[in-house]
Amino acid sequence: MRGIEFLIPEAQEAADEFSARCWENNLDVKITDTLRSEAEQNALYAQGRTMPGEIVTSCRYPRSLHNWGVAFDFCRNERGREYDDGDGFFERCGAIAESLGLVWGGNFKKPDRPHIQLAKYSEDKTAAWLIETYERPALFMAERRFSALAITPELAMEIVLAGIHRLASEPADEWAENAMLWAYKNQIYKGDKTGNLMPKKPVTREELAQALMNYRGAFENDKQ
Ligand SMILES: [Zn+2]
């Protein structure tokens, strides 16, 4: 379970505002679930399928909006009565969420009353557009955080580059920096598990073949 600081900045604001508005209306809510990692999402997906328990999600990573930092769950802030809905608690909170321009899961075809998500980035209520546009949640979340900090894409790239330099066992010479950055951005060089691009290391035939294949992949993607 993670706090709202793991959401993208817009969703953090939305969660704060939602909680405050509920409180003003004598609805004491508690945020229970925000960002879910790949392992957490897939463990949840396994529940009721390959693992014991009831089915709780129809989404594998990264199809849940929780994987993108744009959704959060809530319950009643009352021990033992967290999901008690005898007095229409969730419906009233849901109405507040919708009045703030958020999407409440209680109105889904398969209702998910404790769930709220941003309307932005998921017009069809799914992660389809995010997956299509960003592929990986980390890229989307980094972009939203950079943009909230008013960091330009160029500066963001410099930060990434600084990270590459830091990780490199031996940094690339200045004349090769642009080429290294290009190869990295186009995923021709992917580096080792830690992101170390090993700029000074000789290339084996295996690595050359892989880099050529990566190049072809990048080129084909360009044409789509
Ligand atoms: Zn949820």
Side-chain angles (χ1 to χ4, degrees), residues 24-185:
E24 284 164 24
N25 286 277
N26 297 316
L27 300 160
D28 189 4
V29 300
K30 185 173 142 193
I31 307 293
T32 58
D33 206 0
T34 58
L35 177 70
R36 271 185 224 138
S37 69
E38 179 167 6
E40 287 164 346
Q41 185 67 34
N42 288 340
L44 217 54
Y45 183 81
Q47 197 178 312
R49 293 187 174 86
T50 53
M51 297 299 279
E54 276 179 36
I55 288 187
V56 286
T57 181
S58 56
C59 297
R60 264 201 182 102
Y61 181 88
R63 287 183 46 224
S64 165
L65 288 169
H66 282 285
N67 306 141
W68 299 82
V70 296
F72 57 90
D73 297 334
F74 69 96
C75 72
R76 205 188 257 279
N77 191 16
E78 202 181 324
R79 246 197 136 140
R81 281 189 70 204
E82 283 87 349
Y83 295 97
D84 182 351
D85 200 19
D87 55 359
F89 178 87
F90 285 87
E91 188 108 36
R92 287 159 68 205
C93 294
I96 289 175
E98 302 247 307
S99 78
L100 296 172
L102 299 166
V103 175
W104 177 48
N107 290 331
F108 288 173
K109 231 182 273 164
K110 251 210 236 152
D112 185 1
R113 296 177 155 246
H115 176 94
I116 291 173
Q117 63 190 46
L118 291 189
K120 212 172 152 187
Y121 312 116
S122 56
E123 270 175 42
D124 66 353
K125 300 194 169 43
T126 77
W129 180 83
L130 285 162
I131 293 170
E132 169 95 355
T133 311
Y134 293 91
E135 203 176 322
R136 285 174 291 171
L139 291 182
F140 167 71
M141 290 188 286
E143 188 202 271
R144 296 327 300 156
R145 288 194 178 117
F146 281 142
S147 121
L149 294 168
I151 291 177
T152 60
E154 290 75 27
L155 183 53
M157 191 44 75
E158 269 185 45
I159 292 168
V160 170
L161 197 60
I164 295 167
H165 278 305
R166 193 172 52 76
L167 287 166
S169 34
E170 250 188 297
D173 282 347
E174 220 176 295
W175 63 265
E177 264 181 11
N178 274 339
M180 289 297 288
L181 181 56
W182 173 85
Y184 177 74
K185 270 162 80 178

